Amino acid sequence: MSPVSRARKKSSLPTAPSVNGLFKDVLRDFSAVAAEPGPFDVDLLGSEVVGQWREVVVDGEPDSELGLELIAFAQRKITPGAAALLAALKVLAETEQERSAAAEALAVVLGRGIPEPEWAAEIGKVAVGECWRTGDVYGDESSLLCVFSRGDVSLGLLALLDFTEGGRVRDLVVIEEPHEVLAEMRSQVEEDGELVVLDKIEPADAHRLLVSGLAATDALEEPEVGEDYLRFHAVALAWARSLPEPAAAEPVAEWSDAQRAEAVEQFLAETTLPDSDAAREIAGLLVAHGCRTEPAHPLRVGPEKLARFLEALLDGEYELEDEDTVGPVVLAWSGWAAARAGLSEVATAALLEEVTEYLGEYLSEDEDDDFSEYLDGTESADEALEVVARRQFAVPDTSTVIGDEELTDLDPGDPEQRRLLVIGDHPEYHESLASEEFDGADGLRLALETSIVDQLWDDEPAEVWTAAQRLLAQELSRAEVLARLVTVLEGQLTESEEDDQLDYDPDAYRAALIQVG
């Protein structure tokens, strides 16, 4: 949320050692309110009071009971401070029960001869100004700015909306110079227009976003919120009541099993990802995650939305048969969903870069592993998806064991280190390799598989990867696919007349690969 530095400063409400101490401190602060306070001083002080009692934990008593106790406490005090507090809570208390209780208590206090504060009729009443919404182009997060005025003074209410969790409000802040914040928002769009959007929205739409977002957060048992959320929560609700009521929203129909399956089929059909049970499983989980967190837009894609999905994987919410497939599938999903949403090339590239970092952080034993070792930096956004999938199939691991020696963090881009990884996949040959006379058949088998891995890495000839994908679609394992490809290459070998070396005709080899599967 930007810019926090312009947030209204907190008043000096002390930390109370007890509930009664808190009540006395609250009355003391309202007793100190001037006869003619600033236009918004009482609104903000009252909101802080409500926020503070929400933070006080009383064993066995819900928050609402604590609010009613404060109101009853004030009713027993025949003082201007009690009248001021109750006049504020009559508007700013967050439940209808509390507001009604405050109104009744205020009537009791006024009936005992205490005058009503001159400013009482103004609490919560604001003129609605412009409402703006800015956020990332993916739709993961937005900042909602609503301008409210009283007299010639305007304040801005800024709410951070998180659409990866149902559009809930993660933080609130009241801004003293809303026009400066709006200028900064416009400046961000000018500087980074392909990644940031800014729209002026109708006040009724702002009402819907703000109130539904607060309700979504408040429904959580222990929501993660910013430090100012409770402080400005009550005034946000009060001012929101000045916004026009939104039209009744159409109920969102939950996707059927058939719709979910159709989305998976479309994803696999429109990407180069091998069609396998593992790929289908992960794609199905991505669809399910979207349906659960964003039922109105299940296929929307964004870096934070995918980060939440990966966190769910790490937390064990889903059990996977093949975790090695997560990286290629999530990357392919990112590119496919970005194209489906019409995101620009810049936005798609930024999305893939962030998702690649998340994959390295959440799914790799090596926190520095971000798939960059499978790329050379020259690939476009679309190419990166295919390159990582192909090269990860060719070289799924960068560590191996040969004999008694453990080799870690090998560079898959180095042909010699790739050969070591191939050897490590075949412990049945390690003893033969260590002998002085390496068996010729074993040596040929390793040499041919190394050649296949090199061809897959370089995508030359491209028919090797195409053939591998057809075999993977038949639910063959990686080892079985490589064995079939080695057989094809071996069948093309001929002995050179010049130097007795084995060779093959590239055109005939390509033709043979086309027949595979």
Side-chain angles (χ1 to χ4, degrees):
M1 177 172 295
S2 172
V4 175
S5 60
R6 290 198 178 86
R8 292 281 301 200
K9 301 299 186 287
K10 293 184 179 181
S11 63
S12 56
L13 283 174
T15 301
S18 65
V19 173
N20 279 338
L22 170 64
F23 291 171
K24 291 177 181 178
D25 290 336
V26 168
L27 278 183
R28 187 179 304 115
D29 276 281
F30 271 89
S31 297
V33 171
E36 296 183 6
F40 290 103
D41 287 351
V42 179
D43 298 60
L44 297 174
L45 176 60
S47 186
E48 286 194 31
V49 166
V50 175
Q52 191 174 46
W53 88 48
R54 285 167 62 99
E55 290 183 306
V56 174
V57 177
V58 180
D59 292 341
E61 292 189 39
D63 290 346
S64 59
E65 292 299 319
L66 190 61
L68 293 174
E69 287 185 25
L70 172 59
I71 292 168
F73 180 87
Q75 180 179 323
R76 295 193 295 270
K77 307 296 180 181
I78 310 175
T79 64
L85 170 62
L86 293 170
L89 294 184
K90 175 183 174 182
V91 176
L92 296 170
E94 295 185 357
T95 69
E96 184 62 40
Q97 181 185 17
E98 290 167 348
R99 290 194 293 272
S100 296
E104 293 174 3
L106 176 61
V108 171
V109 172
L110 298 182
R112 293 170 179 168
I114 301 299
E116 183 176 31
E118 294 183 4
W119 43 258
E122 297 297 317
I123 298 298
K125 292 183 178 180
V126 290
V128 176
E130 294 181 343
C131 298
W132 293 84
R133 176 178 168 182
T134 185
D136 59 81
V137 294
Y138 313 106
D140 279 339
E141 291 184 345
S142 291
S143 289
L144 174 66
L145 174 64
C146 300
V147 179
F148 298 100
S149 301
R150 185 173 292 151
D152 58 355
V153 177
S154 295
L155 294 182
L157 177 67
L158 193 62
L160 179 62
L161 305 171
D162 184 347
F163 292 97
T164 70
E165 296 185 13
R168 78 177 186 88
V169 175
R170 297 185 70 92
D171 204 0
L172 289 166
V173 66
V174 170
I175 303 297
E176 291 187 332
E177 303 292 343
H179 63 284
E180 292 186 4
V181 175
L182 180 58
E184 288 187 16
M185 289 177 168
R186 287 174 170 151
S187 177
Q188 289 176 353
V189 173
E190 290 177 2
E191 294 174 2
D192 213 353
E194 293 205 65
L195 296 178
V196 181
V197 293
L198 173 64
D199 297 299
K200 184 178 180 181
I201 66 173
E202 293 297 323
D205 292 329
H207 184 142
R208 174 180 52 80
L209 290 168
L210 181 60
V211 174
S212 63
L214 290 170
T217 299
D218 295 341
L220 300 176
E221 187 172 342
E222 293 184 2
E224 293 184 8
V225 294
E227 63 177 6
D228 288 318
Y229 179 83
L230 292 178
R231 177 184 169 202
F232 295 119
H233 188 277
V235 79
L237 286 176
W239 290 352
R241 292 194 286 272
S242 296
L243 294 168
E245 287 287 337
E250 293 291 330
V252 177
E254 183 179 349
W255 270 26
S256 66
D257 291 343
Q259 287 175 297
R260 298 183 185 207
E262 182 182 355
V264 172
E265 293 294 342
Q266 184 180 5
F267 162 63
L268 292 171
E270 296 178 0
T271 62
T272 60
L273 196 72
D275 188 346
S276 64
D277 285 347
R280 285 178 174 274
E281 178 187 30
I282 296 166
L285 291 176
L286 282 161
V287 174
H289 178 78
C291 289
R292 179 173 60 84
T293 60
E294 208 171 358
H297 305 286
L299 302 185
R300 185 192 67 78
V301 68
E304 291 304 314
K305 185 174 184 177
L306 289 172
R308 299 288 188 277
F309 172 73
L310 295 173
E311 286 175 348
L313 291 182
L314 263 192
D315 291 341
E317 293 184 27
Y318 311 117
E319 291 186 6
L320 299 176
E321 292 185 5
D322 183 5
E323 292 188 355
D324 292 338
T325 310
V326 169
V329 172
V330 171
L331 279 173
W333 179 274
S334 303
W336 173 76
R340 181 181 176 279
L343 294 178
S344 69
E345 185 173 343
V346 171
T348 301
L351 169 67
L352 293 175
E353 182 179 354
E354 288 199 54
V355 172
T356 297
E357 292 179 2
Y358 291 149
L359 284 167
E361 179 180 351
Y362 295 128
L363 302 180
S364 173
E365 292 181 359
D366 181 357
E367 293 186 357
D368 294 328
D369 181 8
D370 60 359
F371 297 102
S372 61
E373 58 196 353
Y374 290 93
L375 301 168
D376 60 19
T378 63
E379 299 85 0
S380 68
D382 292 335
E383 290 172 334
L385 298 172
E386 188 275 335
V387 169
V388 169
R390 170 168 47 80
R391 290 181 171 176
Q392 276 212 313
F393 171 78
V395 188
D397 298 304
T398 58
S399 299
T400 191
V401 176
I402 300 178
D404 296 330
E405 184 178 2
E406 183 177 358
L407 304 174
T408 60
D409 297 327
L410 296 178
D411 179 6
D414 184 315
E416 290 301 319
Q417 296 188 42
R418 280 203 302 270
R419 180 175 180 274
L420 292 175
L421 293 167
V422 173
I423 292 172
D425 280 344
H426 293 280
E428 68 273 20
Y429 297 152
H430 292 182
E431 184 176 348
S432 180
L433 277 167
S435 66
E436 293 183 2
E437 295 182 4
F438 182 43
D439 182 82
D442 292 348
L444 177 61
R445 173 67 179 74
L446 286 174
L448 291 174
E449 183 168 329
T450 300
S451 294
I452 294 294
V453 169
D454 289 343
Q455 291 169 3
L456 286 166
W457 185 271
D458 297 328
D459 200 25
E460 181 59 38
E463 289 80 1
V464 179
W465 177 230
T466 304
Q469 290 175 291
R470 290 198 299 271
L471 294 172
L472 288 168
Q474 299 174 23
E475 299 187 8
L476 298 180
S477 67
R478 174 179 177 274
E480 291 170 331
V481 171
L482 290 178
R484 289 280 296 276
L485 295 175
V486 165
T487 299
V488 174
L489 179 56
E490 187 175 20
Q492 298 300 310
L493 296 178
T494 58
E495 190 170 317
S496 173
E497 297 180 357
E498 297 181 1
D499 51 12
D500 294 330
Q501 295 292 316
L502 293 176
D503 204 351
Y504 64 90
D505 178 76
D507 292 334
Y509 178 43
R510 290 189 177 93
L513 288 167
I514 292 174
Q515 301 303 315
V516 172

